[in-house]
Amino acid sequence: MDMLTGLLEGPQARGAFLLKSVLNPPWAMRIEDRAPLSVATMVRGSAWLLPDGGGEPVFIAPGDVAVVRGPDPYTVADAPGTPVQVTVGPDQRCSTPEGEDVTDSMALGVRTWGAAHQHAGSAVMLSGTYQAPSEIGRRLLGALPNILVRPAGAAKAADATLIDLLASEISSGDPGQEVVLDRLLDLLLIGVLRAWPSAADSSAPAWFQAQSDPVVGPALRLLHESPAHGWTVEELAARVGVSRASLARRFREVMGEPPVGYLTGWRLALAADLLREPDATVERVARRVGYGSAFALSAAFKRVRGMSPQAFRAGASGPDAELAPGPGGTVVLSPPEVGSRRG
């Protein structure tokens, strides 16, 4: 299993909120649901994503897929200057600026909402919202920009097919439909994330891009495949087929830290995810990520994260647990030979 595969195992929607929105211009929706991650694509018509905090508006054409990292609010509109008509709250309830709840009055059927009467200028948007950070993986969430867009022209044929399939399935009420939609949402998200490291002018962090490096890539795969192994730089270098000095130098150049430092961070990231499991004990988690005892894991956790594993688990399981700030910014993915970035 390579490093990217390990990271992309994270997206696992569980009862994700999926919706087909039918919108007649002028339209604008402010999203305040505080979801950790949302995915949106336009089936018909176009839209603008307007991040809070003065970020540049991002244009979304039909077939583009936008990944929006929460929990900060943002607006989706037919044009940057359109006044907000509906606000979507944390409970996915929709209200007007005057405070009227229009969640039910604008419902159009199974997972469909918006204008009852469509015309040639109507827009149709599909959106999916992950409900909890644990459904994506915090290490991946922490690396994402605020907005990541894969244009339709940069998509593979299989990814475009996913959008068509999601559009046809989203309004179905068949038994087991939630599971089908969860997996389609995961696949759509993974399609965008797979294109991110190789895109021209990619903002993906070093550990995300380094899989293609002839020295660091194999070393990272070994660390990710067996994080509990008692790795030394000497053994890692021998397995990669380079000298200890070459591996140490190249690893620091690409990753900005030595192999052992990276391994510690990776083990603690895994431990943080495992600690959220209801039946996990610190002792069991310690063994799974390469620490000889609960005490050893606790010492490393406190040193790096500033709190004990028990305190971390208590905070992470609370309803108001927050994500660490991401890198911000907007990235529009393009094939390497085209190379463009907006925002």
Side-chain angles (χ1 to χ4, degrees):
M1 178 178 67
D2 61 43
M3 178 186 60
L4 188 57
T5 298
L7 290 167
L8 294 184
E9 283 185 333
Q12 295 182 15
R14 301 179 184 90
F17 182 81
L18 287 110
L19 188 68
K20 178 170 72 174
S21 299
V22 181
L23 306 155
N24 291 337
W27 60 270
M29 296 188 296
R30 180 168 171 80
I31 312 300
E32 297 181 353
D33 59 4
R34 299 190 64 78
L37 198 72
S38 297
V39 180
T41 185
M42 301 302 297
V43 175
R44 189 169 71 208
S46 59
W48 288 86
L49 276 174
L50 310 167
D52 271 22
E56 288 293 322
V58 180
F59 181 72
I60 308 296
D64 293 356
V65 180
V67 175
V68 184
R69 181 191 189 278
D72 293 340
Y74 59 96
T75 299
V76 191
D78 66 329
T82 301
V84 171
Q85 298 159 348
V86 172
T87 296
V88 181
D91 53 359
Q92 301 298 337
R93 303 297 296 181
C94 304
S95 60
T96 66
E98 294 75 29
E100 179 187 359
D101 190 322
V102 293
T103 308
D104 298 327
S105 62
M106 295 185 68
L108 301 177
V110 178
R111 301 184 192 89
T112 307
W113 182 92
H117 303 289
Q118 302 181 42
H119 52 71
S122 299
V124 177
M125 179 176 67
L126 306 180
S127 58
T129 300
Y130 287 84
Q131 304 292 314
S134 59
E135 296 178 7
I136 309 101
R138 294 200 175 216
R139 185 171 178 82
L140 182 56
L141 271 176
L144 288 172
N146 289 341
I147 300 174
L148 182 63
V149 179
R150 186 202 60 197
K156 296 181 179 179
D159 294 333
T161 302
L162 281 175
I163 296 175
D164 293 338
L165 187 57
L166 182 62
S168 66
E169 293 282 346
I170 198 167
S171 299
S172 171
D174 292 345
Q177 196 66 21
E178 272 195 5
V179 177
V180 173
L181 293 173
D182 282 348
R183 297 296 76 79
L184 288 175
L185 179 62
D186 290 342
L187 290 171
L188 194 59
L189 172 61
I190 288 170
V192 178
L193 297 178
R194 287 176 64 192
W196 184 28
S198 59
D201 195 23
S202 174
S203 67
W207 54 264
F208 208 104
Q209 300 187 62
Q211 60 177 339
S212 61
D213 187 272
V215 174
V216 179
L220 285 172
R221 282 191 285 276
L222 290 168
L223 296 178
H224 279 250
E225 287 170 359
S226 304
H229 182 72
W231 292 107
T232 64
V233 179
E234 289 82 1
E235 181 185 2
L236 199 58
R239 294 281 297 275
V240 173
V242 297
S243 69
R244 180 189 185 282
S246 295
L247 174 63
R249 181 175 61 253
R250 182 60 181 164
F251 202 100
R252 186 178 284 277
E253 287 174 355
V254 174
M255 304 298 293
E257 61 181 332
V260 174
Y262 177 83
L263 177 59
T264 297
W266 178 237
R267 284 173 168 171
L268 295 181
L270 292 174
D273 282 340
L274 291 171
L275 285 166
R276 294 184 180 88
E277 297 180 0
D279 60 344
T281 65
V282 177
E283 183 72 32
R284 188 181 306 164
V285 170
R287 301 289 183 184
R288 288 183 63 180
V289 301
Y291 287 92
S293 67
F295 177 80
L297 173 60
S298 295
F301 215 93
K302 288 179 181 178
R303 183 179 71 252
V304 174
R305 294 184 173 244
M307 66 179 71
S308 68
Q310 293 89 341
F312 172 82
R313 176 160 53 188
S317 63
D320 299 320
E322 294 288 347
L323 293 170
T330 299
V331 177
V332 178
L333 305 179
S334 300
E337 64 273 14
V338 176
S340 67
R341 179 176 174 180
R342 289 177 280 180

